[in-house]
Amino acid sequence: MSLLEGVTVAVAGMGPMGRGIARVFRAAGADVIVSDLTPELTQAGVDAIASESEADGEPVTVAGMPLTDAVARADLFIEAIVERMDAKASLLKAVAQAGRPELLVASNTSSLSIGEMGKEFGDPARVAGLHFFNPPTKMRLVEVIAGAATAPATLARVTALVEAAGKTPVACTDTPNFIVNRVCRPLYYEAQLLVMQGVEPAVVDAAASGALGHRMGPLTLLDFTGLHTHLASSETALREFGDPKYRPIPIVRGLVRNGMTGRAAGRGFYDYASEKPREAIARVLHPAPAESTGRVAFTGPDAPASDLEGADVVVYSCGAPSESGLARIRELLERAPVVVDSSDAGWVEQLPDGAAWARVHQPEGAGPFVEVVVDPVAGIQPGPAIELLLAGLGAASVEVPALPGLVADRLAHCMANEAYFVLEEGTADADAIDTALRLGMNHPIGPFEHVRRAGVGAVHASMRSMRDAFGDSRYRSSALMRRESAAAAR
Ligand SMILES: NC(=O)c1ccc[n+]([C@@H]2O[C@H](COP(=O)([O-])OP(=O)(O)OC[C@H]3O[C@@H](n4cnc5c(N)ncnc54)[C@H](O)[C@@H]3O)[C@@H](O)[C@H]2O)c1
């Protein structure tokens, strides 16, 4: 028997989130009552739930009632009304008056404080956050947020109900942006900064998809969700954390001011009248050759003297340039064409004559992908070594300028660093963070799994190199990452 049988869930707010949440609980066997501001809006919600679930092939029906009637019958109340504390506070006061003493109260807020809502409700022990992702019927993740005074029994009960509804709960504390939207802040900021540094949006998105396996590149995603929404959440993050690394990037402010708020407006990072993101990405992406030809040998500073005999091209995978590394590359260049495989800023000055520069990625569950450094301003051309590399690996590629971290490592390492901050401050544990990014963003691996594969020392060194090159404190490593990196080096 489902844990939800005999349980009544009341949902307030019949926007897309409230409708989706109501469907999730009803489909899993709970009795569901919904409510909006007026009887007409409530009925519109009931009707929309019936028609949308029918269209998705999972028909359900729910009851509609005024708030006080809904709450008087409910075991769990979930609010999904407008994202304004004053509106949520007055709703919760009405719920406190109408509700049963054992009623559990949850908010689907993306950014407001659960503790503050608990105080408004009058009994913070019974209030938790249940942050569903859009669309709730399809996305498996629910962030379960504990306010400072939420009772452990409340958390245990709402977590069990979320699981019974077929979702994957992850626990986190009451901090601005919670897990997914917080760890993704640098993904969005760095993508925008790359555009400000002259990189075409499609190149950023192609690298994020090709090298990191992101289903949608960050700029396509920002255009999809709306740049005004992103700008507002950046301003909230800046205000709440007081850390300048969360300041909005000027390009977004400019676009929003001009009404270019993304896909719905016809113009954002992409101009939808002339070229959709998919078309722009196809234009900059070099697809993988049908079959791989030639032999690629990999080596590097820590690699044993492997067999380089018969290699058509040698890939030297490394971090920052060093005297010994440069000497080794020059030696290798006498035997075969060489590609330096690194995203470190230092190669812009130190790349030896005759060597090419690229970054080779092996994304989870997909073929190899190469960022090829082509930078006429810095005097860096791809050369025949790159053709041999792409043919030998059978890799797709995109051309990127010689910027610190290039594109993919810059995005991935800044996200991983933010994940360390989230872990360090006790918002969530590492497994919860990885699960949240996989299920909430459809990233193939979470940030800590990325660090395990890349090596914490390499990620920390990459952050340090970006900080030195850009001179911006947004690239400072978390103290926890630095300490782990030191331990790994011992
Ligand atoms: N849209 C998303 O992608 C997303 C994702 C996660 C969380 N959220 C959060 O979920 C909540 C709802 O989001 P949405 O996009 O569905 O909102 P929305 O603005 O589209 O819909 C809000 C609904 O709440 C109703 N409402 C307003 N005040 C009310 C009240 N006092 N009582 C009952 N109903 C009331 C409105 O009439 C409207 O139907 C917000 O807190 C939002 O931050 C949104």
Side-chain angles (χ1 to χ4, degrees):
M1 186 179 112
S2 159
L3 192 64
L4 288 168
E5 238 161 83
V7 170
T8 300
V9 179
V11 181
M14 287 289 94
M17 294 307 291
R19 298 201 302 273
I21 293 166
R23 278 178 58 186
V24 165
F25 280 100
R26 183 71 196 107
D31 291 324
V32 174
I33 311 171
V34 301
S35 190
D36 204 289
L37 276 172
T38 63
E40 293 73 27
L41 285 170
T42 300
Q43 189 55 45
V46 169
D47 295 343
I49 286 169
S51 59
E52 287 164 1
S53 60
E54 172 87 40
D56 286 348
E58 297 153 353
V60 292
T61 52
V62 300
M65 281 180 205
L67 181 80
T68 43
D69 298 336
V71 163
R73 290 166 172 78
D75 301 294
L76 169 65
F77 170 76
I78 304 175
E79 76 76 20
I81 70 163
V82 282
E83 186 75 339
R84 278 198 348 251
M85 185 52 92
D86 60 335
K88 297 204 195 262
S90 58
L91 176 78
L92 290 169
K93 287 201 174 88
V95 172
Q97 278 173 9
R100 306 197 282 197
E102 67 278 20
L103 178 72
L104 296 169
V105 175
S107 169
N108 185 49
T109 181
S110 306
S111 62
L112 301 172
S113 159
I114 297 301
E116 196 175 342
M117 279 185 238
K119 228 172 77 201
E120 298 290 353
F121 175 65
D123 184 1
R126 281 195 280 143
V127 180
L130 288 183
H131 187 220
F132 286 78
F133 286 69
N134 195 5
T137 47
K138 299 231 158 57
M139 301 297 284
R140 267 169 58 204
L141 182 71
V142 179
E143 292 174 338
V144 178
I145 300 123
T150 307
T154 301
L155 292 170
R157 181 80 179 132
V158 295
T159 301
L161 293 172
V162 162
E163 268 173 349
K167 299 294 169 189
T168 304
V170 297
C172 72
T173 62
D174 191 11
T175 51
N177 293 158
F178 312 128
I179 303 173
V180 172
N181 293 339
R182 169 82 178 282
V183 173
C184 286
R185 295 226 73 75
L187 171 68
Y188 302 133
Y189 291 143
E190 294 308 315
Q192 294 162 34
L193 286 165
L194 279 157
V195 175
M196 289 196 69
Q197 287 154 3
V199 184
E200 212 192 307
V203 168
V204 176
D205 284 345
S209 297
L212 306 175
H214 293 186
R215 200 173 282 178
M216 218 188 237
L219 299 168
T220 304
L221 188 56
L222 281 173
D223 265 6
F224 181 72
T225 45
L227 302 184
H228 51 308
T229 308
H230 169 74
L231 178 61
S233 71
S234 304
E235 275 161 349
T236 306
L238 177 63
R239 189 185 63 240
E240 293 288 328
F241 290 108
D243 185 331
K245 74 176 174 180
Y246 298 113
R247 65 197 181 274
I249 308 300
I251 193 169
V252 157
R253 232 185 248 294
L255 286 167
V256 171
R257 252 184 214 136
N258 286 286
M260 298 170 177
T261 53
R263 199 180 76 161
R267 180 78 200 267
F269 283 103
Y270 293 90
D271 181 353
Y272 293 77
S274 59
E275 200 181 34
K276 296 196 170 53
R278 202 168 356 100
E279 296 158 352
I281 290 166
R283 176 171 50 73
V284 300
L285 191 75
H286 300 275
E291 58 187 56
S292 54
T293 47
R295 182 162 174 261
V296 182
F298 280 85
T299 186
D302 304 322
S306 65
D307 176 23
L308 303 178
E309 257 344 284
D312 295 296
V313 57
V314 176
V315 176
Y316 186 82
S317 301
C318 59
S322 65
E323 281 306 317
S324 59
L326 289 166
R328 178 104 168 90
I329 292 167
R330 289 197 188 95
E331 193 186 297
L332 290 167
L333 276 167
E334 287 174 14
R335 303 168 60 172
V338 175
V339 177
V340 174
D341 171 25
S342 176
S343 62
D344 190 89
W347 291 102
V348 70
E349 285 104 7
Q350 307 263 10
L351 191 69
D353 277 350
W357 181 7
R359 180 82 179 97
V360 180
H361 300 273
Q362 280 294 344
E364 174 79 10
F369 186 87
V370 180
E371 291 173 275
V372 177
V373 179
V374 182
D375 193 329
V377 177
I380 296 170
Q381 295 300 336
I386 294 292
E387 278 165 41
L388 293 165
L389 171 72
L390 297 176
L393 293 180
S397 64
V398 68
E399 293 176 2
V400 300
L403 286 165
L406 304 181
V407 176
D409 283 352
R410 180 166 167 185
L411 301 177
H413 295 172
C414 289
M415 263 198 301
N417 188 40
E418 192 69 18
Y420 267 94
F421 278 103
V422 172
L423 177 64
E424 182 175 75
E425 72 199 20
T427 294
D429 66 33
D431 284 346
I433 295 168
D434 274 4
T435 302
L437 270 291
R438 280 193 296 104
L439 301 186
M441 290 294 288
N442 291 317
H443 289 177
I445 59 170
F448 289 103
E449 180 58 27
H450 177 86
V451 170
R452 265 190 292 279
R453 294 180 189 190
V456 65
V459 176
H460 174 49
S462 164
M463 292 306 299
R464 219 171 25 205
S465 161
M466 287 192 277
R467 184 179 178 166
D468 291 348
F470 288 123
D472 189 331
S473 69
R474 71 169 68 248
Y475 302 102
R476 70 183 188 279
S477 294
S478 86
L480 182 61
M481 180 192 277
R482 186 174 181 186
R483 287 156 62 213
E484 275 192 17
S485 166
R490 280 205 172 88

